[in-house]
Amino acid sequence: MHTVQAQPYPFTFRRDATAVLVIDMQRDFIEPGGFGETLGNDVSRLQAIVPVVARLLELARGMGLPVIHTREAHRPDLSDCPPAKRERGDPSLRIGDVGPMGRLLVEGEPGNDFVPALKPEEGELVISKPGKGAFYATGLDDYLRSTGISHLLIAGVTTEVCVQTSMREANDRGYDCLLLEDCTESYFPEFKRATLDMLTAQGGIVGWTATLQQLSAALTAETET
Ligand code: TIU
C-alpha cells in the first residue's frame, strides 16, 4: 500500500488498483484560439500547469500506473451535442464553428487534440466524452471495473467544470479519488480554491486532494507490499 499525506486525511491506495485520469488537457482549452478562449477566458493560467502534468505522467509511466486521457469532443455532425450546450451564452464562436485551430470541440480537429507535451503514449486509453463528466456516455466505468481499478489519481482542466464533474461521477460510482491540486487549474483562481475546499470538506465528501510532491513521496517510499 501507498499512503499520500492528503487533505482531509491520508489517502491509501494499492498500485495495482489505481489509475491516473487526465481530464481534457486539450489545445481547445489551453491554447489561444480554442473553445476556452471563445468563451471569454484567459487561457494562460491553464498553460502554466502543463509541465507539472507532464511530470505526473512521467512518474505514473515510470511506476507502471495506467494512464487514461479524456477529451471533450463531439462528432463532426454534432449529433452528440445537445442544442442547449451549443446555444448557451454569447461566445465569439460556437461548438462546431471554424476557429484558427479548426472546428471547435470537434473530434479530429487540430484544436481538439491534446497539447503536444501531454500526448497519450501507445497503449494508453483515450476516452472521447460529449459531456463535462468523464463517465457520461462513455465506456470509462466498464473499463475501470473490468481492470479492477478502484482508486483514481486525477489531473486536468478545468477544476470546477470537467474535473469536478468527473470526480463527483466517480465518487458516486464508488471510486476513491485523489485530485492533484497543482495538476489542475481553472480560468478562475477563486473557483479552483472553492472546488478543492468543497471536495474535501465534510470528511472528504467527494474525495482527497494533495500535491504532486506528496504523491511522488508516497509512490517512491518503500511501502508497497
Ligand atoms: N469552460 C470550462 O471551464 N470548461 C469546459 O468547458 N470543459 C472542461 O472543463 N474540460
Side-chain angles (χ1 to χ4, degrees):
M1 300 288 266
H2 293 283
T3 301
V4 185
Q5 295 309 314
Q7 294 297 327
Y9 61 90
F11 177 81
T12 301
F13 66 98
R14 286 164 44 119
R15 221 189 303 170
D16 62 2
T18 302
V20 171
L21 179 63
V22 185
I23 305 288
D24 299 359
M25 292 299 288
Q26 298 164 258
R27 301 180 68 198
D28 254 327
F29 298 108
I30 296 171
E31 293 188 13
F35 176 67
E37 195 178 70
T38 67
L39 298 176
N41 298 306
D42 170 5
V43 297
S44 60
R45 295 187 56 78
L46 273 52
Q47 287 171 349
I49 66 159
V50 170
V52 192
V53 179
R55 290 209 300 278
L56 168 66
L57 293 186
E58 192 181 356
L59 177 71
R61 288 165 179 157
M63 288 281 168
L65 290 173
V67 179
I68 303 163
H69 308 256
T70 70
R71 62 181 167 213
E72 188 173 342
H74 293 285
R75 296 189 197 118
D77 65 2
L78 303 186
S79 58
D80 59 355
C81 181
K85 181 176 181 182
R86 186 164 195 273
E87 287 156 21
R88 187 77 48 81
D90 187 24
S92 59
L93 292 171
R94 294 186 186 275
I95 295 169
D97 288 349
V98 179
M101 295 189 289
R103 296 180 67 203
L104 292 178
L105 235 48
V106 171
E107 195 158 284
E109 298 289 330
N112 202 239
D113 201 357
F114 300 100
V115 294
L118 302 176
K119 294 248 191 199
E121 283 192 350
E122 188 75 33
E124 293 177 350
L125 182 66
V126 176
I127 301 252
S128 285
K129 60 184 188 57
K132 302 306 182 192
F135 289 81
Y136 170 67
T138 73
L140 180 57
D141 193 38
D142 288 343
Y143 170 80
L144 295 174
R145 289 189 195 287
S146 69
T147 50
I149 290 168
S150 55
H151 287 60
L152 295 171
L153 307 172
I154 301 179
V157 296
T158 60
T159 314
E160 81 282 11
V161 183
C162 291
V163 173
Q164 174 168 218
T165 303
S166 300
M167 187 159 161
R168 288 178 181 275
E169 287 181 330
N171 184 54
D172 279 351
R173 287 163 177 79
Y175 299 94
D176 280 327
C177 300
L178 174 73
L179 175 59
L180 293 155
E181 60 189 72
D182 43 356
C183 295
T184 185
E185 196 47 89
S186 168
Y187 300 119
F188 307 89
E190 67 277 23
F191 290 175
K192 174 177 176 178
R193 184 68 258 158
T195 302
L196 298 177
D197 290 346
M198 280 189 274
L199 296 173
T200 55
Q202 307 181 64
I205 193 81
V206 181
W208 288 257
T209 62
T211 62
L212 178 59
Q213 171 55 36
Q214 287 168 322
L215 173 67
S216 175
L219 270 171
T220 51
E222 302 277 323
T223 51
E224 179 78 346
T225 52

